[in-house]
Amino acid sequence: MPKDGAASTDRGAGNPIRILGIETSCDETAVGIVEDGRRILSNAVASSLPLHAPYGGVIPEIAARAHVETIWDVTTQALAEAHLSPADLDAVAVTQGPGLPGALLTGLSFAKGLALSLDRPLIPVDHLAAHLYAGEMSDESVQPPYVGLVVSGGHTVLCVAHPDCRFELLGETKDDAVGEAFDKVAKLLGLGYPGGPAIDRVSDEGRAASVVLPRSHSKQPFDFSFSGLKTAVVQYVRKVSEGQPQGLQAQQVADIAAGFQEAAVDVLVTKTLRAAQRTGVRRVVAGGGVAANRRLRARLSEAGAANKLQVVFPPPALCVDNGAMIAGLAYPLLQRGRVAPLSIASDPNLCLV
Ligand code: KG4
Ligand code: ZN
């Protein structure tokens, strides 16, 4: 059976600890191998995105099937890129949640099989915590405490990350996640799926000031709401399209995208700064797919500099879903003995435990 307890390795004391991390919470089948929680040896990913594109969103059943079909190949690729064999691994880590139930189940089942066959510990990882840990991986000086902003396709969360892998939830979205809003607005503008990167790109040509959309500031100081902004875009598009049977022109699309992006980024920056001010925590880490957004990176970094806060973004490849962030966070968890029995279940609603 896989070992319980603190970090142990069959390869003797003093050797680096190598953990393989499996991420299958949504449409990416991702496997990364990380040494001592920081050194990325490989970070392989296969996306089922093209299979979902015709539907304009992720279809859970298709995502789960795609994971089953590709997880073995992606794992083999990660081992090959790291020049390792399975026996060189010290532990197997896997996303326990949050995510799509069927998708999580395929990754967890595979991880259990691997841990059992290799006789290695199994380490369950919270996907949202891993998005923030990607910031710690990218800069060794970054340690908790910090204000964490997780912005992804499924979540928009503000928290304080404390030492010992503990989190204090400050607020979250009450309706759409910000990434979901990016994707829906992009679909409306005919920019395809996923929309976040497309909006980021076309906004370069847009005049944000020409399309001013509402900034929704919910009553709770750290909660978010993006459905009103999305509806405002729908109404704006409807109005502009009246008397334009040929549809929106490219410049109009760019202006609306830029106006939407500016409104969304404004709210994220305002609330994150407020969290830092009210908690007195002087460091901010942003993670998740939307943290790859160039406007958010620029605006939050500027605001941080103006307010003497350290603002950290992982490199874009570590913002989107990946296996390295799971393998990375598993290292401090293993050091704290946070390994799981093979009876563990996935948890689609997990949120920063
Ligand atoms: O973290 P992630 O890869 O998956 C989830 O955990 O959901 O985030 C995916 C989300 C999608 O909504 C995608 O449109 C958005 O991140 N995204 C972006 C950018 N790159 C990805 N949103 C805005 N700008 C980007 N550059
Ligand atoms: Zn994610």
Side-chain angles (χ1 to χ4, degrees):
M1 291 291 288
K3 300 173 190 74
D4 276 350
S8 57
T9 163
D10 288 347
R11 297 182 302 105
N15 281 321
I17 303 283
R18 294 170 184 147
I19 302 180
L20 179 139
I22 297 170
E23 154 57 36
T24 64
S25 66
C26 193
D27 57 335
E28 257 95 35
T29 313
V31 179
I33 301 175
V34 175
E35 209 169 70
D36 292 339
R38 291 206 178 268
R39 208 171 143 241
I40 299 175
L41 303 182
S42 62
N43 201 10
V45 56
S47 178
S48 58
L49 201 75
L51 303 177
H52 307 289
Y55 305 96
V58 175
I59 307 298
E61 172 68 18
I62 294 178
R65 279 169 182 265
H67 290 314
V68 173
E69 284 164 15
T70 54
I71 197 160
W72 176 254
D73 289 345
V74 179
T75 303
T76 306
Q77 189 190 334
L79 284 163
E81 281 172 13
H83 305 289
L84 295 176
S85 69
D88 298 321
L89 300 171
D90 294 294
V92 177
V94 63
T95 301
Q96 187 187 9
L100 302 171
L104 288 169
L105 206 56
T106 57
L108 181 61
S109 304
F110 186 81
K112 285 181 180 180
L114 201 56
L116 178 64
S117 64
L118 296 174
D119 189 23
R120 296 290 189 271
L122 176 71
I123 307 164
V125 173
D126 181 315
H127 180 86
L128 305 184
H131 270 312
L132 293 176
Y133 186 80
E136 296 184 43
M137 278 172 91
S138 55
D139 181 343
E140 269 192 45
S141 74
V142 178
Q143 303 281 342
Y146 54 79
V147 169
L149 172 70
V150 184
V151 276
S152 71
H155 293 85
T156 310
V157 171
L158 259 177
C159 67
V160 178
H162 292 289
D164 286 334
C165 308
R166 284 182 306 107
F167 296 91
E168 179 189 346
L169 200 63
L170 298 177
E172 60 191 325
T173 183
K174 291 298 157 198
D175 40 59
D176 289 354
V178 64
E180 195 180 349
F182 268 85
D183 293 337
K184 286 177 177 169
V185 167
K187 191 175 175 189
L188 183 75
L189 296 177
L191 295 171
Y193 178 84
I199 293 216
D200 191 341
R201 235 181 358 260
V202 306
S203 293
D204 283 348
E205 313 299 326
R207 298 159 299 189
S210 69
V211 183
V212 178
L213 295 162
R215 273 67 173 154
S216 117
H217 292 284
S218 59
K219 276 201 209 118
Q220 296 301 322
F222 306 123
D223 281 343
F224 300 93
S225 164
F226 291 102
S227 72
L229 173 58
K230 181 194 64 192
T231 306
V233 176
V234 171
Q235 286 166 347
Y236 186 90
V237 168
R238 198 173 291 151
K239 203 174 96 210
V240 172
S241 303
E242 274 168 19
Q244 255 186 234
Q246 74 282 17
L248 295 173
Q249 292 162 10
Q251 186 59 53
Q252 288 174 316
V253 168
D255 290 346
I256 297 167
F260 159 77
Q261 179 175 265
E262 205 59 27
V265 166
D266 232 20
V267 176
L268 294 173
V269 171
T270 303
K271 299 224 165 184
T272 306
L273 279 188
R274 182 183 297 159
Q277 276 152 4
R278 298 233 182 134
T279 58
V281 176
R282 310 302 302 161
R283 183 179 288 140
V284 171
V285 174
V290 182
N293 182 270
R294 289 169 303 148
R295 188 66 183 147
L296 176 61
R297 294 171 87 93
R299 289 273 318 273
L300 195 54
S301 301
E302 276 164 25
N307 289 276
K308 298 197 168 41
L309 299 173
Q310 182 190 11
V311 174
V312 180
F313 283 95
L318 290 185
C319 287
V320 290
D321 289 350
N322 66 90
M325 67 181 190
I326 305 299
L329 176 55
Y331 178 70
L333 293 176
L334 180 64
Q335 287 179 314
R336 287 164 179 77
R338 284 174 54 176
V339 302
L342 291 177
S343 55
I344 191 170
S346 54
D347 182 353
N349 299 316
L350 200 67
C351 187
L352 293 173
V353 287

